[in-house]
Amino acid sequence: MGILDEMLEGKKTIVILGHVNPDGDCIGSCLGLYNYLKENYEGLEVSVYLEKIGVKFSFLSGFEDVHTEYDDTKTFDLCITSDASDVPRLGVFAPYRETAKDTFCIDHHISNIGFADANDIRPDASSTSEIVADMLDESKISQEAAEALYMGIAHDTGVFQYSCTSRRTMEIAGKLMEKGFDFNELLD
């Protein structure tokens, strides 16, 4: 059992948060994880809260489900933070982390000291999307989840041109490509 399954055990409500002014990796990792959880964990209520994201990301599955306003009546069993190196980077949605029963942080920033109950922080990864893709059961990753994760990896690697791109990055990206989305269209 991986860390994600351990964190999900006994949970019914999950919130996924990213950083303020979300970029492609933040959006890709959040929506990739969101789609995976919705598709593979029956009965789990999953919500994503991010600041308003650009319409250029509207092709991603789950885009329309993203909440952009804080609701102080909501509490969750588990708060998963993705691509955020510290609590202030969660912006107005940080209270969801404070009121959640458990917290889980997934990140690739070297400055992240681990601010959750459980942390998967890999500074050697190209992106948080790469970490999320690596932690999921590959056989259960849908085309929609793969597309979001691939977009996140492509964003943070400058379409595989930056020095953070490793052999592992390319292997994970290749496995995501095999899920059947049009990666050339996505990159355009």
Side-chain angles (χ1 to χ4, degrees):
M1 179 184 305
I3 190 169
L4 179 62
D5 285 323
E6 288 176 24
M7 292 307 298
L8 292 172
E9 200 167 303
K11 308 298 190 301
K12 296 200 180 327
T13 58
I14 312 296
V15 64
I16 301 170
L17 307 177
H19 61 69
V20 294
N21 193 22
D23 62 6
D25 182 32
C26 178
I27 296 163
S29 61
C30 288
L31 289 181
L33 182 57
Y34 170 78
N35 286 314
Y36 181 86
L37 294 176
K38 294 287 284 182
E39 295 158 357
N40 293 294
Y41 292 85
E42 189 176 325
L44 198 62
E45 181 187 316
V46 185
S47 302
V48 177
Y49 284 81
L50 294 170
E51 288 181 350
K52 191 163 176 56
I53 54 181
V55 70
K56 67 183 177 181
F57 297 106
S58 64
F59 69 94
L60 294 171
S61 180
F63 175 87
E64 295 294 329
D65 298 336
V66 174
H67 300 278
T68 58
E69 300 290 327
Y70 176 71
D71 179 351
D72 64 4
T73 67
K74 295 277 191 183
T75 59
F76 300 91
D77 294 331
L78 176 64
C79 175
I80 301 174
T81 62
S82 185
D83 201 36
S85 56
D86 57 33
V87 175
R89 295 276 293 148
L90 301 174
V92 299
F93 304 118
Y96 291 136
R97 181 191 164 278
E98 303 306 318
T99 59
K101 291 178 185 152
D102 288 307
T103 57
F104 178 35
C105 173
I106 308 167
D107 192 24
H108 71 114
H109 294 100
I110 197 164
S111 61
N112 192 323
I113 59 168
F115 59 88
D117 297 322
N119 300 277
D120 192 342
I121 302 165
R122 305 183 203 177
D124 59 331
S126 69
S127 58
T128 301
S129 294
E130 177 181 327
I131 300 168
V132 171
D134 189 45
M135 74 171 42
L136 303 180
D137 180 338
E138 183 183 334
S139 68
K140 295 179 179 179
I141 298 175
S142 68
Q143 180 176 321
E144 292 76 18
E147 182 174 44
L149 294 168
Y150 182 90
M151 188 276 305
I153 294 169
H155 182 275
D156 257 24
T157 61
V159 192
F160 309 102
Q161 297 179 73
Y162 299 159
S163 62
C164 64
T165 305
S166 68
R167 176 184 178 149
R168 183 77 182 133
T169 306
M170 299 304 285
E171 289 169 351
I172 290 171
K175 290 176 182 178
L176 294 172
M177 290 166 64
E178 290 175 348
K179 297 296 180 173
F181 61 91
D182 188 343
F183 52 87
N184 288 318
E185 178 72 22
L186 181 147
L187 295 177
D188 284 343

